[in-house]
Amino acid sequence: MAIVFAFLWFSFFTLLSCSVSIAKIGPAFPSSLIRPEQLSQLATKNQLYQTKYFTQILDHFNFNPQSYHTFQQRYLINDSYWGGAHKNAPIFVYTGNEGDIEWFAQNTGFLFETAPDFKALLVFIEHRFYGKSMPFGGNKDIAYTNASTLGYLSSTQALADYATLITDLKKNLTATESPVIVFGGSYGGMLAAWFRLKYPHITIGALASSSPILHFLNVTSPYSFNNIVSHDFRSESESCYKVIKGSWQQIEDRANQQGGLDVLRKSFRICKKVDIVYLESWLLTALTYTAMTDYPTPSNFLNPLPAYPVKQMCKAIDDPSTGNDTFAKLYGAANIYYNSSGSATCFDLEDNSDPHGLSGWSWQACTEMIMPTGGNTEESIFPASEWLYENRASYCKNMFEIEPRPNWITTEFGGKGFEKVWEQHYLLQWLKGSLERWRGVEEYIQKHSCYCCK
């Protein structure tokens, strides 16, 4: 398996990002995705891991009675490669993302491929409030009730979960001397990097893949994400880029004509009549997620995709058999993402299924994970639009009755000066090592100086 990560957080706040119609409804995961139940069966068949649970405390940072409530946190473990505690063999820990941990474990082949070389123990820890790691009796409806319960869902609580579980696991395995390396991708990669910062006594290193640790207010431009998506398509084919860029106005114009919605429904094989924003969001999802998972090998992370799917989309758009029919070109491109098997006869654009349990991210994106994306320049393949923090704040107030804390992450973990912190850290480590070496030399001289005097 190849390592496959994506910026999943994009899906939950595109709808907050800009004022144009395509942003009113965020990209949604289609129902054709593999279900977690099916993934569990696959895992059992392939014997990828054992499923275990750890009794985790609800609140690591307060001491009121509610803080001492507990929940069962799921983790997956594979010891088939491990050299054992007696050899101080390493432990590779995946810091779980905003979804079912099995989904991520089965799309993180890098760890399974690397573990034999290092004789490493593999551990995948599920993030609280996702998958089966649900506080409040394991009842998602209760856990997701409102801010009073969702308030325990945060990155700092998740990191403390990982620290507590890892420490206890090492103790139970009599592996206190085994070094721990943390791994993660996307939000999980952010957690891995932050875990190394906050808990250096527990992990000796972190590998963070596709980790947007600087994608926050006043650090990264809200236009950079869609600029990259646009560049992916433009670098593949200028004509492909132009077709996509010009299609949104054509869709709007056709929708405003008499019978235009029926024409669009037939052109894109939509199962039933829907508002235009659903169609635009459906297309935006396909384009964005394809760019995010533009791997050089076939993958099945979000949807089954061929190798280099952006190239395949542009081939469909540039297909001369479609002539000047923009809708036929876009339909061919969308089919690359939504219909790899070719068996779908129509598409249900109102399908809001959440097979991987990602819905908790909307809370995180409204509290501390204020990551500005969705803004579009004139060069974007999407309609030009301005990203406004006020739109996000208004949405979060209506949704959860809370005010976002847009600067908390960079306050807690660092922003623009992130790399300088590490430079200082390594400088201090070097100075400490140099000082210890000098003390060793000094002690040697003092110990043997008497011989020089005789």
Side-chain angles (χ1 to χ4, degrees):
M1 293 184 294
I3 187 168
V4 285
F5 297 125
F7 294 115
L8 298 181
W9 37 265
F10 175 85
S11 65
F12 292 100
F13 53 76
T14 295
L15 74 166
L16 311 173
S17 301
C18 51
S19 58
V20 297
S21 62
I22 63 169
K24 293 180 182 176
I25 299 175
F29 287 98
S31 59
S32 59
L33 284 170
I34 293 178
R35 303 282 176 169
E37 292 78 11
Q38 293 174 316
L39 288 173
S40 297
Q41 295 169 8
L42 177 64
T44 302
K45 181 180 179 181
N46 291 340
Q47 298 180 335
L48 292 177
Y49 43 73
Q50 290 180 302
T51 300
K52 296 189 177 184
Y53 289 86
F54 175 73
T55 301
Q56 189 64 263
I57 193 171
L58 178 63
D59 186 357
H60 296 280
F61 305 109
N62 287 289
F63 296 90
N64 56 54
Q66 178 95 335
S67 298
Y68 291 91
H69 290 187
T70 59
F71 67 95
Q72 296 302 300
Q73 183 169 25
R74 180 168 57 159
Y75 66 99
L76 315 175
I77 189 167
N78 181 321
D79 62 1
S80 60
Y81 313 113
W82 196 34
H86 65 287
K87 293 185 177 179
N88 295 336
I91 301 173
F92 290 176
V93 176
Y94 185 91
T95 50
N97 298 52
E98 68 283 30
D100 188 287
I101 190 60
E102 291 190 81
W103 178 34
F104 293 104
Q106 291 173 34
N107 285 281
T108 313
F110 178 78
L111 267 70
F112 289 96
E113 293 166 358
T114 308
D117 294 332
F118 291 90
K119 295 180 172 53
L121 177 69
L122 297 182
V123 182
F124 296 82
I125 308 177
E126 190 163 65
H127 195 297
R128 59 167 53 201
F129 283 82
Y130 293 102
K132 294 183 179 179
S133 301
M134 203 62 60
F136 301 100
N139 190 319
K140 184 175 181 179
D141 291 336
I142 295 176
Y144 281 41
T145 299
N146 52 41
S148 65
T149 52
L150 282 168
Y152 297 100
L153 170 54
S154 70
S155 59
T156 49
Q157 293 283 6
L159 293 177
D161 286 342
Y162 300 154
T164 304
L165 194 157
I166 292 169
T167 301
D168 186 82
L169 179 64
K170 291 182 68 176
K171 179 180 178 182
N172 290 338
L173 294 173
T174 318
T176 54
E177 299 304 315
S178 290
V180 172
I181 308 292
V182 291
F183 297 78
S186 189
Y187 171 52
M190 298 162 79
L191 292 173
W194 294 337
F195 190 83
R196 171 66 175 133
L197 275 174
K198 293 297 183 179
Y199 297 94
H201 55 292
I202 294 179
T203 180
I204 65 169
L207 193 159
S209 175
S210 300
S211 171
I213 55 175
L214 297 181
H215 206 115
F216 291 93
L217 280 180
N218 305 317
V219 179
T220 299
S221 167
Y223 303 93
S224 62
F225 183 89
N226 282 342
N227 282 344
I228 295 172
V229 173
S230 301
H231 175 75
D232 284 351
F233 285 91
R234 191 169 196 174
S235 63
E236 195 61 53
S237 165
E238 182 70 19
S239 60
C240 173
Y241 160 78
K242 289 180 178 179
V243 167
I244 298 171
K245 182 174 174 58
S247 66
W248 309 106
Q249 189 60 54
Q250 291 186 46
I251 291 173
E252 294 275 358
D253 292 342
R254 182 54 59 93
N256 291 328
Q257 295 175 3
Q258 183 71 27
L261 289 177
D262 287 331
V263 172
L264 291 172
R265 183 176 63 81
K266 292 176 182 177
S267 297
F268 290 98
R269 315 298 196 271
I270 302 170
C271 297
K272 55 185 178 181
K273 198 171 188 177
V274 294
D275 191 277
I276 185 177
V277 294
Y278 285 90
L279 171 60
E280 292 172 322
S281 176
W282 182 75
L283 291 171
L284 182 148
T285 298
L287 295 167
T288 303
Y289 284 171
T290 297
M292 290 194 297
T293 53
D294 191 27
Y295 306 122
T297 57
S299 65
N300 191 21
F301 185 46
L302 299 179
N303 265 1
L305 287 173
Y308 299 107
V310 169
K311 180 188 292 289
Q312 298 306 316
M313 273 195 169
C314 281
K315 280 185 178 180
I317 288 174
D318 291 338
D319 184 354
S321 67
T322 56
N324 295 321
D325 189 342
T326 298
F327 300 155
K329 292 177 181 294
L330 286 180
Y331 170 74
N335 251 348
I336 301 297
Y337 183 79
Y338 290 113
N339 190 23
S340 62
S341 67
S343 60
T345 56
C346 68
F347 301 100
D348 180 7
L349 306 193
E350 292 182 310
D351 180 7
N352 291 319
S353 59
D354 182 19
H356 297 296
L358 300 162
S359 58
W361 186 256
S362 57
W363 165 264
Q364 291 191 261
C366 271
T367 50
E368 56 180 2
M369 307 300 290
I370 311 301
M371 306 172 74
T373 70
N376 291 286
T377 65
E378 293 293 337
E379 296 300 309
S380 173
I381 58 172
F382 307 116
S385 61
E386 183 179 5
W387 188 90
L388 296 172
Y389 167 74
E390 291 75 16
N391 292 344
R392 172 77 66 86
S394 176
Y395 170 87
C396 296
K397 183 69 173 178
N398 293 333
M399 188 73 176
F400 299 108
E401 283 295 319
I402 57 169
E403 294 287 341
R405 297 178 184 175
N407 299 313
W408 171 243
I409 287 294
T410 50
T411 301
E412 174 71 359
F413 300 114
K416 292 180 179 178
F418 189 90
E419 69 283 355
K420 292 182 180 179
V421 173
W422 279 110
E423 288 175 4
Q424 293 169 0
H425 169 76
Y426 285 119
L427 177 60
L428 288 173
Q429 290 294 98
W430 180 82
L431 289 173
K432 180 181 177 182
S434 299
L435 182 60
E436 289 174 349
R437 287 190 293 273
W438 168 248
R439 284 174 178 168
V441 173
E442 186 178 38
E443 289 174 359
Y444 179 87
I445 293 174
Q446 290 177 350
K447 182 178 179 180
H448 295 84
S449 59
C450 57
Y451 295 104
C452 299
C453 298
K454 291 181 179 179

